Amino acid sequence: MDWVKEAETLFAADKPEHFTDYRHCCECAEHDDTLRNTDVHHIGIDELGHPGWDPICFCSSEGKIYYTPAFVRLSLATIADELYIDQFLFHLEYDGPANDYYKACTPEQRKFIARFLEYLILDFSVELDDGFCADSAFRALEIWSGE
């Protein structure tokens, strides 16, 4: 399966005007600018690859849905070295079943995320273990598969 192409189809959404509560503080405004100044096809590790300065932590669910194809693309592209998947898993499992991102997705989108996680667990178990994120993958799978 072409995971990125499937994500682009299932998560096709108009780009939000704003991604964060940009009037809240300078940090929110900066993260909003970062997300507004690129798009789902071009955002990369330079913008998203810093766990201590991750604009997605401040992002609305609408913005996360818009950028989901990029999360899938970056997770696959960095699975052997930079492990963006660790950050993606953080957003997938944040707040457990009360996760706003999860609740904002359609059942079909949730099913896609669960299938993607199953694929990663089965095909990249060594990389997930080496990156110390296998447990997070299983926790996220439990949430997104509705179990």
Side-chain angles (χ1 to χ4, degrees):
M1 172 187 284
D2 185 336
W3 291 102
V4 176
K5 189 167 214 54
E6 185 70 16
E8 288 172 347
T9 300
L10 283 173
F11 292 88
D14 291 334
K15 185 176 181 178
E17 185 177 341
H18 289 281
F19 290 86
T20 71
D21 182 5
Y22 65 99
R23 292 184 180 127
H24 178 259
C25 66
C26 293
E27 186 175 4
C28 288
E30 184 174 339
H31 288 315
D32 191 63
D33 286 345
T34 296
L35 296 171
R36 289 179 58 226
N37 288 331
T38 189
D39 64 41
V40 66
H41 303 291
H42 298 99
I43 199 162
I45 290 297
D46 287 344
E47 296 85 7
L48 301 179
H50 308 286
W53 193 253
D54 183 355
I56 303 306
C57 290
F58 297 82
C59 189
S60 66
S61 295
E62 178 185 27
K64 289 175 185 171
I65 288 170
Y66 172 78
Y67 273 120
T68 297
F71 304 154
V72 170
R73 173 177 46 83
L74 291 170
S75 293
L76 291 169
T78 63
I79 196 76
D81 48 23
E82 295 178 76
L83 276 179
Y84 177 75
I85 186 64
D86 191 35
Q87 283 175 254
F88 186 33
L89 290 169
F90 173 80
H91 300 298
L92 292 175
E93 67 175 317
Y94 180 79
D95 210 16
N99 182 314
D100 287 337
Y101 181 22
Y102 171 84
K103 292 190 298 186
C105 287
T106 67
E108 188 177 20
Q109 291 169 329
R110 292 175 189 165
K111 186 180 290 186
F112 170 84
I113 295 292
R115 286 191 345 249
F116 180 63
L117 292 170
E118 288 172 347
Y119 166 72
L120 292 175
I121 289 166
L122 292 173
D123 285 25
F124 295 98
S125 60
V126 171
E127 290 84 353
L128 293 174
D129 281 340
D130 288 350
F132 304 103
C133 55
D135 289 344
S136 292
F138 282 106
R139 285 191 302 270
L141 177 59
E142 184 176 339
I143 293 163
W144 286 78
S145 63
E147 296 175 5

